[in-house]
Amino acid sequence: MAETNISMVMEFILLGFSDLPSLQGFLFGIFLTIYTSILVGNGLIIVITKVTAALQTPMYFFLGNFSFLEICYTSVTMPRMLSDLWTQKKSISLIACAVQLGFLLILGGTECLFLTVMAYDRYVAICKPLYYPLIMNPQKCNQLVTGAWVIGIPIQIAQTWQIFSLSFCGSNKLNHVFCDIVPILKLACGDTSMSELSVFCGAIIFVTFPALLILWSYNNIIKTILKLPSAMGRRKAFSTCSSHLIVVGLFYGSAIIVYLRPKSSHSPGVDKVLSLFYTIVTPLFNPLIYSLRNRDVIAAIKQLRPN
């Protein structure tokens, strides 16, 4: 009889910002502006890296692909958030939630790998400049980009399947702005230790390990730069790396706090802010960081202006 009284959850209610009812219209306007800026800014980076002859180098090839990834990554969550704020219909089926989480994990893992590839590109350019054209040839660049897009797909699909193979038989109120791992696991019935372990392992593979590779790359880069005899050469070398380092700091800082901090320290409010940080703020500032700190990008943008 106890089992028959348990109602299995067939959909979630994304609470989002329902605790701020008077600000729904204002938040819709803010997020719509942010999403439009992400599409325009990253779209502009894609265009200039394709059409500008001076930007046909591995660094800008990776940047163009990274900007396309940022658009895809943000589009997994932002349209749904905007729809929920506009219509106030916050229900989402388990299948739709699983699809959103799956794409979020796949593209998030791809972003980690892309940042690692871009760090490797800077490492080769600064630490092995004579071998740079040989190592970062077009075939190698295409292989690195394809690998970054493909490697995480089977792992993240398996992780999503494992999470949604759990039973959800209690509350269906998901206290988050989109379907994410931590709030979903809070609603699961029974033992979630295996799922939590798989999440931790996934974070090690796609967050911690790439972060260590990035740190290794920049450790060698800094050592090489400090050995340069010319102060101007050192400034130029640091300038080519600073934009990437800022983007890495924004993305990894928030992602590590969300997925690798102790379970006892999680709170819905903090998780919402941090999740918005690595899904929205990084894609928003990516084109600004690269355009404001890179003379080649600024020159390419000026060339696109009508006379």
Side-chain angles (χ1 to χ4, degrees), residues 86-304:
W86 181 257
T87 64
Q88 295 301 303
K89 295 179 180 179
K90 301 179 181 297
S91 61
I92 182 171
S93 68
L94 257 65
I95 294 177
C97 191
V99 170
Q100 186 183 63
L101 178 62
F103 276 108
L104 187 71
L105 292 178
I106 290 170
L107 295 175
T110 301
E111 181 147 354
C112 293
L113 296 176
F114 250 104
L115 291 171
T116 308
V117 167
M118 294 167 78
Y120 174 70
D121 173 67
R122 293 298 83 207
Y123 162 75
V124 177
I126 294 174
C127 299
K128 301 179 183 294
L130 298 178
Y131 297 97
Y132 184 73
L134 181 64
I135 296 174
M136 302 305 293
N137 58 71
Q139 183 180 359
K140 180 68 169 290
C141 291
N142 285 321
Q143 289 173 348
L144 288 171
V145 166
T146 303
W149 278 103
V150 172
I151 287 174
I153 292 177
I155 298 174
Q156 302 293 22
I157 288 178
Q159 188 169 86
T160 303
W161 178 84
Q162 183 186 40
I163 291 170
F164 279 87
S165 64
L166 297 169
S167 297
F168 300 95
C169 54
S171 172
N172 69 336
K173 293 181 179 179
L174 196 65
N175 194 4
H176 208 58
V177 290
F178 53 81
C179 292
D180 205 357
I181 294 175
V182 174
I184 290 173
L185 288 179
K186 287 182 179 179
L187 300 183
C189 302
D191 185 16
T192 61
S193 58
M194 288 303 297
S195 295
E196 291 172 4
L197 179 61
S198 71
V199 171
F200 183 78
C201 292
I204 294 294
I205 295 171
F206 291 104
V207 179
T208 306
F209 186 61
L212 292 175
L213 290 176
I214 292 172
L215 288 174
W216 175 85
S217 296
Y218 276 103
N219 178 59
N220 287 282
I221 288 171
I222 291 171
K223 287 180 179 179
T224 302
I225 291 175
L226 293 176
K227 293 178 183 178
L228 294 176
S230 167
M232 183 177 294
R234 289 195 294 271
R235 282 196 299 270
K236 184 177 180 180
F238 274 121
S239 177
T240 61
C241 299
S242 58
S243 300
H244 180 251
L245 274 174
I246 294 171
V247 174
V248 168
L250 286 173
F251 180 79
Y252 271 99
S254 53
I256 287 173
I257 293 172
V258 168
Y259 291 107
L260 295 179
R261 77 185 195 272
K263 184 180 178 181
S264 58
S265 65
H266 283 276
S267 68
V270 174
D271 287 347
K272 287 179 188 179
V273 172
L274 289 173
S275 63
L276 289 175
F277 206 85
Y278 68 82
T279 56
I280 295 177
V281 176
T282 303
L284 175 64
F285 282 101
N286 175 56
L288 291 175
I289 291 168
Y290 275 99
S291 61
L292 293 177
R293 300 183 62 85
N294 192 301
R295 293 180 182 178
D296 294 334
V297 173
I298 293 173
I301 293 173
K302 289 180 178 178
Q303 290 178 7
L304 293 178

Side-chain angles (χ1 to χ4, degrees), residues 58-72:
M59 182 175 77
Y60 296 109
F61 172 71
F62 294 135
L63 177 59
N65 277 274
F66 185 71
S67 293
F68 176 69
L69 171 62
E70 294 284 54
I71 291 175
C72 295

